Amino acid sequence: VQLLESGGGLVQPGGSLRLSCASSAFTFNNYCMAWFRQAPGEERTEGVADIGIDGRTSYADSVKGRFTISKDGAKNTLYLQMNSLKPEDTAMYYCAAFGWSGSICLWGRRVGWGQGTQVTVSS
């Protein structure tokens, strides 16, 4: 496993969780890092948030204002702070690493993918 996620769990609606992603194989500051999720019964994955080498971030409309992606270069760890969680946020969450060039993430050049951490939002 090149990327290892942690921090998932069961939380009530309105609650918070912080996901972490670590790796001994990648230096996160050299790649575009992103979080994806796959909802139960869905085959497709949804891009949740990404952060470039330059620190630029972007978010899916469904999580803007509630989720924050960040990274700690010294710890080589990626984070996803999730606040005001909703039942529709229930999914398996994955972190991934992509190539970077010309200030953009190269979505066709995925270099790493984790095994995921389950987030369940339910009362």
Side-chain angles (χ1 to χ4, degrees), residues 7-106:
L10 174 64
V11 63
Q12 292 187 341
S16 299
L17 283 174
R18 188 176 80 157
L19 306 184
S20 299
C21 172
S23 176
S24 60
F26 296 98
T27 299
F28 286 1
N29 282 340
N30 293 338
Y31 295 93
C32 174
M33 300 300 300
W35 288 98
F36 290 79
R37 66 185 181 186
Q38 186 175 28
E42 293 280 340
E43 288 194 6
R44 68 178 187 88
T45 57
E46 175 190 16
V48 175
D50 61 81
I51 183 167
I53 289 176
D54 58 2
R56 171 201 57 81
T57 59
S58 63
Y59 298 90
D61 287 343
S62 57
V63 307
K64 278 181 183 176
R66 300 189 297 121
F67 291 11
T68 302
I69 187 171
S70 63
K71 60 183 178 179
D72 184 328
K75 296 181 179 180
N76 206 40
T77 301
L78 179 73
Y79 302 102
L80 184 69
Q81 178 66 44
M82 305 186 295
N83 299 328
S84 302
L85 283 160
K86 305 175 181 180
E88 51 263 44
D89 295 318
T90 295
M92 184 72 78
Y93 284 72
Y94 301 89
C95 69
F98 295 85
W100 172 266
S101 178
S103 300
I104 62 171
C105 296
L106 301 177

